[in-house]
Structures are given as structure tokens and as C-alpha cells.
Amino acid sequence: MRLIASIGILIATFPAIAQQPKSINGGETGRAQLETLRRSGIEALYNLDYEKARKDFSEIARLYPDHPAGPQLLAARVWIKTLYESRRLQSSLYSSQSFYTQGDDKVDPKVVGEFRSLTREAKRLADARLKQNPRDIEALDVLATTAGLKASFEEAVERRHFAALRDGDDAVDRHREVLKLDPNFVDAELTVGLYEYVVGSLPLPIKIIGGVTGFRGSKKRGLSMIEHVAKDGNWSRDDAKTLLIVLYSREERFTDALSLARELSAKYPRNYLFRLEAADALVAQAAIERKAKNSAAAVKAEQEAFATFDDLLRDRSLRETVSRALDLVHFKYGEVLLTAGQGERAAKEFLAATKVERAVPDLVTMAHLYAAHALDLAGKRNDALSQYREVLSRPDIYDAHGEARKGLRQPYKMESARNSGT
């Protein structure tokens, strides 16, 4: 469940976009106009400009009320904006098991209502097209991408795990149907490839049980399909590259993850999140270099990672965008420093995150907890104890209280944390 959900969070960082429409009102002119609006809105999403994306997608819905692309894209925009505002576009912040077993954070009912209304409308319009033509590939693709959006929203926002699994299965089945009708519909391989990778990554006993019940997958085949989309896909090419960043990191292919993060950062310069992903890959690669006794290479990678954050905090062209998420930037800087073994510097960044005006409360709690860990590693036990107590004074989130009580009993050690998966 944890692997499925954490990957689901990242793939949903950007919307699954239905293929270019083949038949709409207005013929070639109408199709070109819809494609222009769609491309403009998607670019706005990648550059974190949610208002421009809303205007572009709303115009699609207005001009083409019988086409499911409008409500589907608007639902994707609601979903991504919700993740961004809750700081969940960085999946490492919520990688603990408690994120998937506890539901103590609240979701704005208006956001949930808007999302569900839009996905219902997208499904209704796609179903209407399928009644006219059961082999309408575009309509099947819309149903698949809409089901995928629902699964991601249910998992990462509402944390309705079984509902997410049901809708995720539906998305995979629909896209397999698309591929049977048109094997050259490369974008559909993204959903199927992710399924193959996830099932193929399950522990052997679970895979054996899954094989008996019909669940089969292959990590190698799944990764190959996603790479195919990244190379030859249409609308989903950058979605696939975004997903590959986390999969390559999971496979410890950090140089490949870094290459994609840099590529997407250059393509979408206002999206500082890709710079954060690049920094994560750099510091992870540095750890490998240090283990291999390549000290110079390790130091070089770490210094580049640190410089990434320093540049972000100084970059005037990103000041407006970054200022809305300074808590996240400081938090991620702290994570990178902590991974590099610089506990005292890491603690300063975590504490800086707690002092940002309008910082997300959940992130503040986690920042106090991580500051305590960093202070323990730096040998500042009394300061660490103070931070653990601060965590306990705040509402519990993702079992932060349990971790704080552990920290009060004994100092935090990085190795024990790695072994427990936290």
C-alpha cells in the first residue's frame, strides 16, 4: 500500500491528460483551438500557475460543452492545486507508514465537492460518447484518466485507500482496453506501466498470492513502458518523466533521476519543485560516492545540492512563487543537510520552516520533529528534547507524537531510522 500510494502521489503531481480530440464541433479549426488551450493550460500547471490553468480549461468547457476534456482538466487542476497547497507535491514529506494508516488531517468539503462534480461530469460526457460508439478510443482514455485522477485524490487527499485501489484498477483496465484497440496509443502505457512496476515490486509471498488471484506484474516491463511514454508519448511525455524521477531514485539510479529533474526544470523554469528533486538526487548520489570512498565526488554533489537551495532563496525571478512555499523550501533544505550528516545546519533550516508566515501547520509539526532529530545527531540533546516537547504540544499528525515520545526516551539515530523506514 505504501509504495502504491507514494508513487501515486508523485504521478498525480501532474494530470493524466487525455489524447488529442479526434472529432469536435468546429472541425479542424475547433480541434486546433482546443489543443492550443489545452497545451497552454498544461504548461501553466507545470509552472504552478493555477489561475491561468483554470482560465484555459474553463474556456475549453465553455467552447466545447459536450467534450469531456474541459471537466477532466479542471478536475486535474483542482487536484494538483490541493496537493501544492498542502505541500504534498514533495512525496518524501509523507513517506512514513502513519501517513497511510491515519486520517487525522481534514479536507475542505468544498474542494472535495468541486473535484467530485467535475469527475462525474467528465465521466458522464465520456459515457455518452461510448453509447454512440463503444470503440471510441478517446472516450475510453478519458474514462481511464478520470478514474486515475479519482484514485490519486482518494489516496493522497482523502486517504480512502480501498476506494483508491478500486478506481486505480478501473484506470488500468480502461487503458488496457485502449491499447487493445490501438497498440500505438503510447500514452496509455503510463498507467499500465505503473501498475506493472508496483505489482512487480511487491514482496514474493504477496506476489504469489496475487498471481493466484490474477494480479501479475513485472518491474522491468513496467519501467520499460514508462520509459517508452517518456520518449514517444504525446500528452503524457512529461508526466512519465516526472514519474521516472521517483522510480529511478527508488532504484538508486540517482544520476538518471538528476538528468530528468534538470531537463524538466529547464523546460518549466517557474517550477522550483524540479530543483528540489534535483537536490534530493544529488545528495543521495553523494551518499553512494562517500560509501565508495569517492570523497571528492561526494563533496561536489553535496555542494551542488546546497547551492540549489541557496539559489532558490535568492532567485528574484522566482521570488513570488517561492515566497508562497518558503516553509517547504526550508524544510527540504533541512532534509538534504540532514541526509548529508550536517545536523546543526539542518536544524536551523527546519526551525526556519516553522517561522515562515502562513506556514502549513502539518509541515510545521513535522519541521519541529525533524529539527529534534537533527539536533540529536548534532549532539545537542537538551535542544532536541525541547523540540520533541514542542511536537507534543501541537496536534498529532502522521504519528508525530509517537515519534516525539520515542525521541524523549532515547536520542535519534539516523541508521535506526533507515532500518525502520521512517
Side-chain angles (χ1 to χ4, degrees):
M1 175 69 72
R2 187 171 160 187
L3 171 63
I4 294 170
S6 60
I7 291 175
I9 290 174
L10 188 58
I11 189 173
T13 299
F14 301 102
I17 304 298
Q19 190 82 324
Q20 176 179 333
K22 296 177 180 174
S23 58
I24 62 173
N25 295 335
E28 292 294 328
T29 301
R31 181 165 60 248
Q33 186 174 19
L34 192 154
E35 182 178 354
T36 297
L37 286 167
R38 189 193 313 235
R39 200 170 297 280
S40 173
I42 293 169
E43 184 176 346
L45 281 182
Y46 270 97
N47 277 313
L48 310 179
D49 189 346
Y50 301 115
E51 181 56 24
K52 185 178 188 309
R54 183 193 66 77
K55 289 178 180 177
D56 287 339
F57 298 153
S58 294
E59 186 67 359
I60 291 174
R62 185 186 72 82
L63 292 173
Y64 312 104
D66 296 328
H67 198 285
Q72 183 219 354
L73 289 164
L74 284 167
R77 179 255 178 197
V78 169
W79 152 237
I80 296 166
K81 184 172 182 286
T82 301
L83 280 190
Y84 179 76
E85 291 177 346
S86 63
R87 304 296 186 260
R88 292 183 191 173
L89 289 184
Q90 283 287 303
S91 60
S92 66
L93 302 185
Y94 305 97
S95 59
S96 67
Q97 183 64 37
S98 62
F99 176 71
Y100 307 109
T101 58
Q102 296 185 4
D104 41 15
D105 53 340
K106 294 179 173 59
V107 186
D108 186 343
K110 290 182 180 178
V111 172
V112 174
E114 182 183 7
F115 178 83
R116 289 180 179 169
S117 175
L118 289 166
T119 52
R120 277 196 301 268
E121 180 64 3
K123 184 178 185 302
R124 183 187 72 79
L125 292 172
D127 283 336
R129 291 180 56 153
L130 284 172
K131 285 182 181 179
Q132 296 178 354
N133 177 13
R135 296 172 65 86
D136 186 328
I137 291 175
E138 185 188 357
L140 285 169
D141 180 46
V142 169
L143 288 180
T145 52
T146 300
L149 278 171
K150 287 177 62 183
S152 298
F153 191 91
E154 288 157 350
E155 180 57 60
V157 176
E158 299 178 288
R159 283 188 280 165
R160 296 169 54 217
H161 307 306
F162 291 108
L165 286 172
R166 284 196 300 271
D167 280 318
D169 285 343
D170 186 34
V172 171
D173 290 342
R174 294 289 190 179
H175 267 147
R176 280 184 168 152
E177 192 174 348
V178 167
L179 288 169
K180 285 180 182 178
L181 293 171
D182 182 1
N184 295 320
F185 199 106
V186 177
D187 285 355
E189 293 185 25
L190 182 62
T191 307
V192 180
L194 177 60
Y195 173 88
E196 289 275 354
Y197 182 91
V198 169
V199 175
S201 300
L202 295 173
L204 182 59
I206 297 177
K207 279 200 283 191
I208 292 173
I209 296 171
V212 173
T213 57
F215 292 95
R216 294 179 177 85
S218 161
K219 277 177 59 175
K220 183 177 179 180
R221 183 167 59 244
L223 202 59
S224 177
M225 293 177 77
I226 297 165
E227 288 171 336
H228 185 205
V229 180
K231 182 176 181 292
D232 297 318
N234 185 12
W235 292 100
S236 296
R237 188 176 301 179
D238 287 344
D239 293 1
K241 291 176 182 177
T242 302
L243 176 57
L244 284 171
I245 292 172
V246 74
L247 296 187
Y248 285 156
S249 295
R250 188 175 185 274
E251 298 295 323
E252 296 191 355
R253 293 171 55 180
F254 299 116
T255 55
D256 291 329
L258 176 61
S259 177
L260 287 176
R262 284 171 169 164
E263 177 188 336
L264 292 171
S265 180
K267 185 173 182 180
Y268 303 106
R270 291 183 59 80
N271 191 333
Y272 63 90
L273 296 172
F274 287 124
R275 294 201 204 179
L276 302 188
E277 294 292 347
D280 280 345
L282 282 164
V283 79
Q285 183 61 34
I288 289 178
E289 299 291 355
R290 185 163 277 110
K291 190 174 182 180
K293 310 298 184 185
N294 298 327
S295 299
V299 170
K300 181 180 177 182
E302 286 174 350
Q303 291 305 316
E304 185 178 348
F306 303 157
T308 297
F309 287 94
D310 292 333
D311 289 344
L312 272 176
L313 293 170
R314 288 195 304 259
D315 193 336
R316 292 187 177 184
S317 67
L318 289 173
R319 181 170 295 173
E320 181 181 352
T321 305
V322 173
S323 67
R324 295 197 296 266
L326 272 178
D327 52 346
L328 175 62
V329 175
H330 283 297
F331 187 99
K332 291 298 297 179
Y333 198 177
E335 276 196 320
V336 165
L337 289 163
L338 187 60
T339 302
Q342 299 198 25
E344 194 164 354
R345 285 184 66 189
K348 289 179 180 178
E349 293 299 329
F350 289 129
L351 292 175
T354 70
K355 295 177 173 64
V356 172
E357 187 178 359
R358 293 190 297 275
V360 173
D362 294 355
L363 190 63
V364 171
T365 298
M366 299 301 288
H368 281 296
L369 178 63
Y370 281 40
H373 290 169
L375 289 163
D376 262 339
L377 291 174
K380 294 181 174 293
R381 182 60 177 162
N382 288 337
D383 292 336
L385 291 172
S386 176
Q387 290 303 310
Y388 288 128
R389 294 187 186 103
E390 178 64 27
V391 172
L392 292 174
S393 74
R394 300 177 59 82
D396 194 11
I397 187 75
Y398 314 137
D399 198 31
H401 282 193
E403 290 297 310
R405 292 189 188 97
K406 258 195 262 184
L408 288 173
R409 289 194 298 271
Q410 60 183 17
Y412 173 85
K413 294 181 181 179
M414 183 74 83
E415 193 57 41
S416 64
R418 286 180 185 137
N419 292 338
S420 67
T422 58

